[in-house]
Amino acid sequence: MRDKPLLTIIVPCYNEEEVLAETMKQLGAILHDMKDKLVIHEDSDLLFVDDGSRDKTWEVIENGIAIQDHISGVKLSRNFGHQNALLAGMKAAEGRADCIISIDSDLQDDVGVIPDFVEKYRAGYEVVYGIRDERKTDTRFKRGSAHLFYTMMGKFGIHLIPDHADYRLLGSMALQEMNLFPENNIFLRGIVPLIGFKSDKVYYHRKERFAGESKYPLKKMLAFAADGLTSFSVAPIRFVTGLGALMFIVAIVIGIYTFIQHLSGTATSGWSSLMLSIWVIGGIQMMSLGVVGEYIGRIYSEVKQRPRFIIETNSYVESGHEK
Ligand code: UDP
Ligand code: MG
């Protein structure tokens, strides 16, 4: 390893024209400061990944590339989603950077703690997690839903680092090992703890978005939670199996009861109970099919081995950044 690590800060952007110039400015200032203090290599840089934005995001990035040599950009051919955009950035930086830091483009994550991440890396930590120490600035709904998410995931046996999103540092070793996880519906927060290595945490205050709106509407958030759940756990399938077994026992008891009633001659057409049973069992079957289908859908998308992202332009390599 070099005595001063080469750091690449990876920033996924989707329709972020309003905030991007400011993000470039703030991250650029931090980078320069760290270079001046000789804590990072002078070739350290910022890598913006445009996740198929429909606004002027790419123009802003191109503009940055043109006037600052510590800025590069990767443009994806369409919107592949936050996780895949991050992955594209990480793949681009692999082999060149000694460590990467991934951060959202909206300045919600405090850029001021970046030197703390680097300090931990220099002290020998291969993975450093950014943890928000409060969620005051998030809407109540977002706070509540995030809490529910962690509780639910924990119940299903998926242990995530609470209040850690995608603000983290990865050393080149950890970065390389990401290749061992070729899954399509990737959920980085769940994968990173599985890679192992020595890790530590950095705490920070999460702020309000600097400008623009959240690119994670409820629909995307639910899809994200479903990905996280089904790509790490077979617990829902087991739950359905258990439910089926329970229903079977109940059915035997009801069967015996009905038989006794029949023998004693008091069974005067149990129409309502019959209807009820049909509906209960029908409902459970339907639900089970849904859960099984969900997994089959995922198997389907994994076996297709489709690319997780497609790069249209990559200035990170063009600008002679290779090692
Ligand atoms: N993002 C992305 N692709 C998407 C959605 C979001 O690259 O399809 C980026 C977005 O530009 C931002 C980060 O992912 O840098 C997090 O998104 P956002 O701030 O909207 O999420 P929130 O903070 O509201 O959870
Ligand atoms: Mg945000």
Side-chain angles (χ1 to χ4, degrees), residues 188-199:
L188 292 168
R189 274 170 230 196
I191 296 283
V192 175
L194 295 181
I195 298 179
F197 295 116
K198 216 171 133 185
S199 71

Side-chain angles (χ1 to χ4, degrees), residues 13-15 51-52 54 79-83 142 149 187 214-228:
C13 322
Y14 178 55
N15 296 341
D51 186 16
R54 270 165 301 193
N79 181 244
F80 281 88
H82 179 208
Q83 300 287 294
K142 193 127 194 172
F149 177 67
F187 186 63
S214 173
K215 308 297 181 288
Y216 265 106
L218 182 62
K219 204 171 134 213
K220 263 195 185 173
M221 249 161 61
L222 290 178
F224 189 59
D227 265 358

Side-chain angles (χ1 to χ4, degrees), residues 56-293:
K56 295 208 171 63
T57 298
W58 183 244
E59 271 103 312
V60 179
I61 297 172
E62 273 189 319
N63 201 25
I65 296 170
I67 54 176
Q68 315 245 28
D69 46 348
H70 65 265
I71 291 181
S72 20
V74 164
K75 183 183 195 305
L76 302 188
S77 59
R78 62 168 170 85
N79 181 244
F80 281 88
H82 179 208
Q83 300 287 294
N84 292 320
L86 248 174
L87 210 63
M90 293 185 339
K91 283 263 189 243
E94 203 182 302
R96 183 179 112 85
D98 294 313
C99 58
I100 63 107
I101 291 178
S102 49
I103 184 168
D104 288 355
S105 53
D106 56 5
L107 295 172
Q108 278 192 285
D109 302 329
D110 182 8
V111 298
V113 297
I114 289 178
D116 300 345
F117 279 88
V118 176
E119 200 180 305
K120 300 259 187 213
Y121 174 72
R122 285 170 59 111
Y125 293 97
E126 190 64 18
V127 178
V128 187
Y129 299 103
I131 315 279
R132 354 181 154 155
D133 57 7
E134 54 165 356
R135 276 180 169 268
K136 257 194 239 151
T137 52
D138 269 342
T139 59
R140 214 171 158 169
F141 170 71
K142 193 127 194 172
R143 241 184 302 167
S145 58
H147 180 73
L148 186 74
F149 177 67
Y150 289 115
T151 319
M152 195 179 80
M153 292 299 242
K155 288 255 188 301
F156 282 118
I158 307 159
H159 299 291
L160 299 173
I161 313 264
D163 292 330
H164 161 67
D166 286 298
Y167 191 17
R168 75 175 79 83
L169 177 143
L170 292 178
S172 54
M173 273 198 291
L175 202 57
Q176 213 176 347
E177 301 312 335
M178 292 286 312
N179 290 334
L180 296 175
F181 299 85
E183 56 215 72
N184 246 296
N185 297 299
I186 198 144
F187 186 63
L188 292 168
R189 274 170 230 196
I191 296 283
V192 175
L194 295 181
I195 298 179
F197 295 116
K198 216 171 133 185
S199 71
D200 203 359
K201 294 170 182 171
V202 162
Y203 292 87
Y204 68 96
H205 285 271
R206 188 163 156 99
K207 299 178 210 158
E208 215 73 77
R209 220 172 204 286
F210 183 79
E213 274 163 16
S214 173
K215 308 297 181 288
Y216 265 106
L218 182 62
K219 204 171 134 213
K220 263 195 185 173
M221 249 161 61
L222 290 178
F224 189 59
D227 265 358
L229 187 63
T230 51
S231 49
F232 279 90
S233 165
V234 289
I237 281 189
R238 298 228 176 96
F239 174 70
V240 168
T241 316
L243 207 65
L246 195 74
M247 282 308 297
F248 184 66
I249 293 167
V250 172
I252 290 174
V253 173
I254 290 176
I256 292 169
Y257 173 74
T258 317
F259 191 60
I260 292 169
Q261 290 288 303
H262 180 74
L263 284 187
S264 63
T266 51
T268 50
S269 67
W271 185 80
S272 50
S273 59
L274 191 67
M275 283 311 273
L276 203 71
S277 318
I278 289 171
W279 281 98
V280 167
I281 293 169
I284 287 172
Q285 278 177 338
M286 202 88 113
M287 191 181 85
S288 314
L289 273 177
V291 174
V292 172

